Amino acid sequence: MSNPDQIAAVDLFCGVGGLTHGLTRAGVDVRVGIDLDPACRFPMEANNDARFIEADVADLLPSDILSAFEGSSVSLLAGCAPCQPFSSYSQSARKDGPHEDWELLSSFSKLVMAVRPTLVTMENVPPLRRQPIFRDFVAALAEAEYFVDFAVIDGRDIGLPQRRQRLVLVASRLGPITIPEAAKQQVTVREVISDLPPIEAGKSDPNDPLHASASLSNLNLARIRHSRPGGTWRDWPEELIAKCHTRESGSTYPSVYGRMEWDQPAPTMTTQCYGFGNGRFGHPEQDRAISLREAAMLQSFPKDYEFVPDDASVNFNSLGRMIGNAVPVLLGEYIGEVLVSHVKSFSENRNH
C-alpha cells in the first residue's frame, strides 16, 4: 500500500547520486536524477532506484519535472548546483562581477516558480549566502508563499568523517519549517577506512578497482615517508622542501603535503583529494595518498557504492571530480529526515 505522504523527488545536478542516496535512506522517493555529465548515469542508476536524465538544467521545461511527480501529493525539487562559482577562491580571483555559472541558481529558481513543488531544498558552499543571487532566491520563495529556513551545517556534527561546512536551504508550502541544530559525536578517519586492505602508491586492490592510489614520484615518496599525521612539510629535511614553500609567499600553506590523522575527521574532500600534494590527503599510516574508495567513504558513500562499470578503467581526474563534488550521503540523509519529519507533522495535524 502506497504512503500518500511519501515525498516524490527530482534531484537536479544529481552528480553520482550522493543526495539521492541519502534522501532515499530517509524515506524519500527520488524518481529522477538530472545532470549534464553523462558519466553520472552509471553511478546514479546502479546504486539508486531512480531514472537518470542527461540534460542541462537551464534547458529543462516545467513539464519535464511535473511528469515525475505524477501520482504523489507531496513533491520535492532538489537543486544542489555545482559550488565552484561561489567558492572563496573563485570570489577572490574574480573581481569583475557575477560568474555566468551563477545562472544555474537562477535556472533552478525559475523551475521552482514554474513547477511549485511542495518542498524545495538546495545545498552549496557557505559564501553563497552573502551573494545577492541567494538573497533574491530566498525573497522569490517567500513571495511565492514558501516558508524558508537555511543554515550552515558542519558535517562533523551529523557524523560526517570530514571537516565540511555546507549551506543548506529548505522551503515548504505546507507551513513553517526549520533546520534543527545537529550535535552528533564526531566520526574519525580510523572508524571509516582503517579496515580497508593496505595498498601501495600507484597500485589498486584486486578486489576493488576503486581502492586505487595515485602514483608518487621518488621525491614525493621521500616526502611522505618524512610526514607525520597532522604534521606539515615543515617536518621534512631541508632538501625535501619545495623552493616555493621556502619563500615568504609560500610559508602560509602548511596544509599541503600532509597526512591525515587516524583519530580526527578528515579535511574537506575536494576534486583533487587523491593527490598527496593537493592538501592533507596523505594516508595516516601508509606511504601514499588516500585511494578513491577511501575518499568516497569519507564522503559517506557505502563501501560497495559503484562509480564505474566493472569493465571500465579508473580515471583519477574524472572520479576525483565526481567524488569531491558529490553531496555527502549523510548530508542528504539529514536533509531527508528534516523534510520527512516536517511532512509527517503536518499530516498528523490534518488528522486531528
Side-chain angles (χ1 to χ4, degrees):
M1 185 175 176
S2 62
N3 177 4
D5 292 317
Q6 185 177 35
I7 302 166
V10 171
D11 183 0
L12 305 179
F13 315 105
C14 67
V16 295
L19 177 64
T20 286
H21 208 69
L23 290 174
T24 302
R25 280 185 182 179
V28 175
D29 177 18
V30 183
R31 297 178 176 180
V32 173
I34 301 172
D35 202 284
L36 187 59
D37 186 351
C40 295
R41 178 183 298 275
F42 176 81
M44 182 66 184
E45 293 190 336
N47 301 280
N48 304 287
D49 188 20
R51 181 167 56 94
F52 178 82
I53 297 175
E54 181 187 336
D56 187 334
V57 169
D59 297 333
L60 289 175
L61 299 174
S63 57
D64 298 327
I65 307 298
L66 287 166
S67 62
F69 294 148
E70 288 180 3
S72 176
S73 61
V74 185
S75 54
L76 165 66
L77 190 58
C80 300
C83 63
Q84 285 87 348
F86 311 112
S87 72
S88 300
Y89 173 78
S90 296
Q91 311 270 329
S92 61
R94 186 182 299 113
K95 303 296 185 183
D96 55 351
H99 188 264
E100 60 184 6
D101 285 353
W102 291 21
E103 291 306 311
L104 293 172
L105 184 54
S106 294
S107 298
F108 176 52
S109 180
K110 289 172 185 174
L111 281 173
V112 170
M113 300 311 147
V115 172
R116 298 294 299 275
T118 317
L119 306 166
V120 177
T121 189
M122 63 157 287
E123 66 90 57
N124 215 293
V125 292
L128 174 61
R129 64 186 162 161
R130 297 193 293 269
Q131 298 302 322
I133 195 168
F134 180 72
R135 293 195 291 269
D136 291 346
F137 179 50
V138 172
L141 286 170
E143 190 172 338
E145 300 185 334
Y146 281 90
F147 295 86
V148 183
D149 192 24
F150 57 89
V152 174
I153 304 295
D154 188 327
R156 293 171 292 183
D157 292 339
I158 60 171
L160 187 68
Q162 62 169 297
R163 301 175 183 88
R164 192 182 191 99
Q165 292 198 326
R166 304 298 287 184
L167 172 65
V168 173
L169 175 145
V170 291
S172 171
R173 293 171 60 199
L174 297 176
I177 184 169
T178 57
I179 300 172
E181 188 172 336
K184 290 187 180 178
Q185 185 175 2
Q186 290 187 15
V187 176
T188 67
V189 171
R190 186 189 302 276
E191 292 172 83
V192 177
I193 68 169
S194 63
D195 65 340
L196 290 179
I199 55 173
E200 296 178 11
K203 305 291 185 181
S204 63
D205 179 359
N207 297 315
D208 180 6
L210 207 74
H211 186 31
S213 178
S215 299
L216 289 176
S217 65
N218 289 335
L219 176 59
N220 280 339
L221 189 58
R223 285 169 169 169
I224 198 168
R225 285 173 176 164
H226 283 89
S227 299
R228 61 180 179 82
T232 73
W233 50 263
R234 296 190 179 108
D235 302 320
W236 302 342
E238 188 174 346
E239 65 270 16
L240 296 181
I241 298 175
K243 290 182 179 179
C244 63
H245 292 151
T246 60
R247 292 196 295 267
E248 187 175 346
S249 61
S251 63
T252 56
Y253 295 96
S255 62
V256 296
Y257 293 101
R259 282 190 190 268
M260 295 179 184
E261 298 177 80
W262 273 130
D263 297 315
Q264 296 291 331
T268 302
M269 293 295 104
T270 70
T271 58
Q272 300 291 315
C273 58
Y274 56 86
F276 171 52
N278 297 325
R280 200 177 297 282
F281 299 128
H283 189 277
E285 193 173 280
Q286 298 165 39
D287 294 334
R288 60 175 177 83
I290 58 169
S291 71
L292 291 167
R293 176 62 72 194
E294 287 164 335
M297 291 171 68
L298 292 168
Q299 279 277 62
S300 63
F301 283 95
K303 187 176 180 180
D304 59 353
Y305 202 88
E306 298 179 75
F307 289 87
V308 291
D310 291 339
D311 57 351
S313 60
V314 171
N315 182 299
F316 280 90
N317 286 336
S318 174
L319 286 166
R321 175 177 50 79
M322 290 194 290
I323 291 169
N325 280 338
V327 177
V329 173
L330 275 175
L331 181 57
E333 186 172 9
Y334 179 76
I335 294 169
E337 288 171 352
V338 170
L339 297 172
V340 168
S341 175
H342 170 75
V343 171
K344 184 178 179 182
S345 69
F346 279 90
S347 175
E348 290 173 348
N349 289 337
R350 284 199 312 269
N351 295 330
H352 284 101

